Amino acid sequence: MATSRPATRKPVLRKALRSALERPLPPGTDGMERLCLPLAGEVSVRWRRNGRARRVSLRIDLRAGAVAVTLPPRAGREAGLALLREHDGWVAARLAALPAAIGFAEGALVPVEGVPHRIRHVPDGRRGVWIEADEIRVSGDPCFLGRRVADYLRREARTRLLGRVQSAVRGSGAPAPRRLAIKDTSSRWGSCSSDGTVMLSWRLLMAPPAVQDYVVAHELAHLRHLDHGTAFWRLVEQLTPHRAHAEAWLKRFGPELLRTG
């Protein structure tokens, strides 16, 4: 007598896996939380669920001055807490080494192309934000000073970085991107995608011109070589002489740029 084959369980398994990936974080793991660790003391912890992660991981969020904990689909809050307790000393040392955060406020010193500029509120000045005599001058309501400075610097970054990209393409024969995106990234200064889009962090505006030129050259070289092989680095060296200086500068001063604004 013929018997029917049992129904396949693949759709059920796929549904269960999808459910696990989409499962929200448990209470207390859905954003920023303040926790107290024995050595680090009270710290801010940013929880994040990542469907592609294979293990629980920690990193320091420079911009937020917090510890970022990434959880894979099946890991719970306790796994993250256990890793935090295990690496308490590392967390304490890294947070203690962070440069002080600098807000866009009256009197603050903010670098523009490596030159310190002091933010100055000019209530009766012409409307807007402008640079004059090593100052970032801001008119209008002081309640909006920080936001207006941030908007101004992002616009300046787009204009000046676009100019550096165009100069590199014209003067050095660098590949031309299909599109240039200016973003506020948490760690990377630039990136290049396979569709020809180059992304640059607006915070590069605060770095010296030689550092900007290096990051631009690095990402334009990726338009031809998406890896970091010998041919890639040979092209970078052809496009800019500033690699060693720029890499050392970003390693030393990059955290300060990420903590500004």
Side-chain angles (χ1 to χ4, degrees), residues 112-115 164 204-215 242:
V112 177
E113 297 197 330
V115 178
R164 294 195 180 279
L204 285 170
L205 173 70
M206 296 185 278
V211 176
Q212 296 178 27
D213 285 343
Y214 165 69
V215 176
H242 305 304

Side-chain angles (χ1 to χ4, degrees), residues 51 57 106 140 181 187 210 222 233:
S57 63
E106 169 74 18
S187 57
H222 273 313
W233 288 116

Side-chain angles (χ1 to χ4, degrees), residues 94-117:
R94 291 295 303 274
L95 290 178
L98 287 181
I102 300 175
F104 292 148
E106 169 74 18
L109 277 174
V110 177
V112 177
E113 297 197 330
V115 178
H117 286 64

